[in-house]
Amino acid sequence: MNNNFALIMAGGVGSRFWPVSRTSFPKQFLDILGTGKSLIQTTFDRFKKIIPVENIYILTNENYRSLVKEHLPFLQDHQIICEPVMRNTAPCIAYGTAKIRKINPGASIVVAPSDHLILETDVFVETINKALAASKQNDCLITLGIKPSRPDTGYGYIQFSDELLGEDHELHKVKTFTEKPSIEIAETFLASGDFLWNSGIFVWSVNAITTAFDKFLPDMNEIFRDGEPYYNTDKEKEYIQTGFQKCVNISIDYGIMEKANNVYVMPADFGWSDLGTWASVYELSEKDYVGNAVINKEKVMMYNSSNCLVNVPSDKMVILEGLHDYIVVESNDTLLICPRSNEQHVKQIVADVKQNFGNEYI
C-alpha cells in the first residue's frame, strides 16, 4: 500500500483574475498562460509524478464538482471532496484529512493549491519526496518556503531559525509568519536572509495534523471525527451538509500553522508563482521587444505601446495606440483597462461591480 496522498485545493473563486475568472468558472479551470491545459490539469499532472492517481483528492466547492469532473474525468467520485459552503482552508483540509484517515491512518499528505505555477517540475518532485519522507519520521508540520527573488508585497513571508529538525539540514524551525507586508518591510525581510515566501504548500502525517486540529481547533476536529462512520457511504453528504455549517471560517495558517510549535519550513526554489494577479501573469508571459505580452495574438495590433498585458478573445479585433504599462482584458461581455501598477485594485472593482449590477457580471 502506498501511504502518500495529496489534497489539491480547488475551491476558490479567483476574483483577482476578473473578468476572465468568474464565480461560475474560476481561474483554476482556466488556461491562464495559454499552455493548452487548465491550471488544475497542470497541477494534477505534476502530482501524478509523486502520488498514485487513486490517492490524489480534489478539495472543492459543491458548485464546481461538474467542472472538476470535466477537467479530470478519470477521477472516482470519492476523490472529489466537496464543501457545501465556503469556510476557508482549515475546514476543507480537516474534512479531506478525516476521509484519508479512514482509508489509511498511517498516511502522509501533501496539501497544495490547484492554481499555482511551478516551472521546474523535477525539482518540485524531489522537494516533495524529501518532505514526505521527513513527515513519516517526525511529528512535525512542514511547509514549503520559496527563496525570495525580490521584495514582493503580494506574498506572505515565513521567518526561519537556525534550529534544524534532527539531522535534517533542510528543515528549519519556523519563527514567525507575516501576512503581505509593505514594500519597506519586504525589503528588510529580503536583506535579512532568513525570510521565505509562503507557498501555501504543506506536508504532514495524518497523525501530526489531526493532533494539531485536536489541540487548536478541537470543535472542528470533533465534527469531522464524528463523521467517520458516514464517509464513503450514502449518508456522508447529509452529515457534511450539517457539520460544515458549524465550522468556523478560518484558514489553516491562522488556525494551526501560526500557533503550533512543531512547524518546520523547507526552503525551496522550483520556479514557483502563485499566479495571484494579472501582474504575475505578465511577468511570466512571453513578451515582444517593447515588453508587450499578448495572450491571444491573432487580431491584436499595437502602435507606440509598451509593457502591456493584453488578454482578449481570439475572435476580437483590438487596436491599441499609445498605451504603456496597462492591463487590457476582455471576457464575458466585460472589458477591463487598468494600469499595471493598480492591478491590486481589481478585487475592489469586482466588489463595486457586484454592488452596482448584481451577480450578472461576477
Side-chain angles (χ1 to χ4, degrees):
M1 178 185 290
N2 192 305
N3 291 333
N4 293 336
F5 286 73
L7 290 171
I8 298 175
M9 296 182 288
V13 296
S15 61
R16 286 187 176 87
F17 279 97
W18 184 85
V20 174
S21 177
R22 294 291 180 101
T23 302
S24 60
F25 204 93
K27 75 166 181 170
Q28 58 267 32
F29 302 107
L30 298 170
D31 178 9
I32 290 280
L33 295 172
T35 64
K37 287 189 175 182
S38 65
L39 293 175
I40 193 172
Q41 289 171 329
T42 304
T43 300
F44 197 97
D45 287 350
R46 196 159 50 236
F47 274 104
K48 281 196 304 187
K49 301 176 185 296
I50 308 167
I51 311 283
V53 168
E54 63 272 18
N55 288 3
I56 302 176
Y57 290 71
I58 306 298
L59 296 171
T60 190
N61 189 277
E62 188 66 53
N63 296 331
Y64 303 143
R65 178 186 289 275
S66 60
L67 279 172
V68 172
K69 284 291 281 185
E70 182 182 324
H71 285 245
L72 304 170
F74 46 83
L75 288 183
Q76 300 296 309
D77 285 345
H78 73 273
Q79 290 176 267
I80 305 173
I81 303 175
C82 293
E83 52 185 10
V85 291
M86 290 187 180
R87 284 287 188 271
N88 217 314
T89 52
C92 71
I93 290 172
Y95 181 20
T97 300
K99 286 197 62 154
I100 291 171
R101 183 172 64 240
K102 182 174 181 179
I103 300 166
N104 186 337
S108 285
I109 305 173
V110 187
V111 180
S114 61
D115 52 5
H116 289 186
L117 175 72
I118 287 164
L119 297 174
E120 298 177 39
T121 300
D122 291 346
V123 180
F124 175 79
V125 169
E126 182 183 348
T127 303
I128 295 295
N129 279 327
K130 285 180 182 176
L132 283 166
S135 74
K136 291 174 176 28
Q137 298 162 7
N138 302 277
D139 176 25
C140 63
L141 307 175
I142 299 169
T143 182
L144 300 190
I146 308 300
K147 295 171 184 175
S149 57
R150 61 188 181 276
D152 200 302
T153 60
Y155 297 145
Y157 285 75
I158 300 169
Q159 184 183 25
F160 62 90
S161 71
D162 293 331
E163 183 181 339
L164 299 172
L165 180 63
E167 298 180 0
D168 194 317
H169 300 297
E170 295 185 69
L171 282 164
H172 294 257
K173 187 84 177 280
V174 170
K175 287 173 73 173
T176 61
F177 287 87
T178 304
E179 286 300 298
K180 299 171 183 178
S182 66
I183 186 64
E184 293 80 13
I185 293 174
E187 287 169 349
T188 304
F189 287 172
L190 195 67
S192 73
D194 60 353
F195 282 83
L196 303 164
W197 287 335
N198 188 348
S199 71
I201 300 171
F202 309 105
V203 182
W204 42 51
S205 68
V206 160
N207 184 59
I209 190 61
T210 301
T211 300
F213 270 107
D214 194 35
K215 183 175 182 180
F216 299 109
L217 294 170
D219 292 345
M220 188 182 298
N221 189 61
E222 186 176 347
I223 287 168
F224 294 108
R225 186 181 60 222
D226 289 350
E228 188 169 311
Y230 308 114
Y231 298 145
N232 302 321
T233 74
D234 56 6
K235 294 182 179 179
E236 177 177 347
K237 186 172 182 179
E238 181 184 354
Y239 178 83
I240 290 299
Q241 194 80 32
T242 304
F244 228 90
Q245 301 278 358
K246 300 174 184 175
C247 289
V248 63
N249 186 331
I250 193 168
S251 71
I252 195 75
D253 299 83
Y254 281 126
I256 289 179
M257 301 303 282
E258 294 182 12
K259 297 174 181 173
N261 64 359
N262 61 336
V263 178
Y264 289 80
V265 63
M266 180 177 283
D269 189 4
F270 37 66
W272 171 89
S273 169
D274 74 346
L275 283 180
T277 60
W278 283 118
S280 62
V281 172
Y282 173 79
E283 293 298 331
L284 293 159
S285 297
E286 183 181 337
K287 303 171 188 68
D288 64 17
Y289 70 102
V290 288
N292 293 315
V294 183
I295 306 300
N296 294 312
K297 301 179 181 180
E298 285 88 343
K299 296 181 180 178
V300 176
M301 301 172 67
M302 304 184 73
Y303 301 92
N304 185 30
S305 297
S306 63
N307 303 320
C308 291
L309 171 69
V310 183
N311 185 337
V312 296
S314 56
D315 61 346
K316 183 75 66 172
M317 171 72 78
V318 175
I319 296 96
L320 299 182
E321 162 73 46
L323 205 61
H324 305 278
D325 300 293
Y326 266 76
I327 295 165
V328 179
V329 182
E330 185 189 348
S331 184
N332 303 303
D333 297 322
T334 304
L335 174 64
L336 172 70
I337 303 172
C338 172
R340 277 179 42 222
S341 59
N342 291 352
E343 53 96 38
Q344 291 283 357
H345 297 171
V346 171
K347 200 166 187 178
Q348 182 58 49
I349 292 168
V350 173
D352 293 342
V353 169
K354 183 174 183 178
Q355 183 176 344
N356 290 326
F357 302 101
N359 293 322
E360 180 182 355
Y361 297 96
I362 306 300

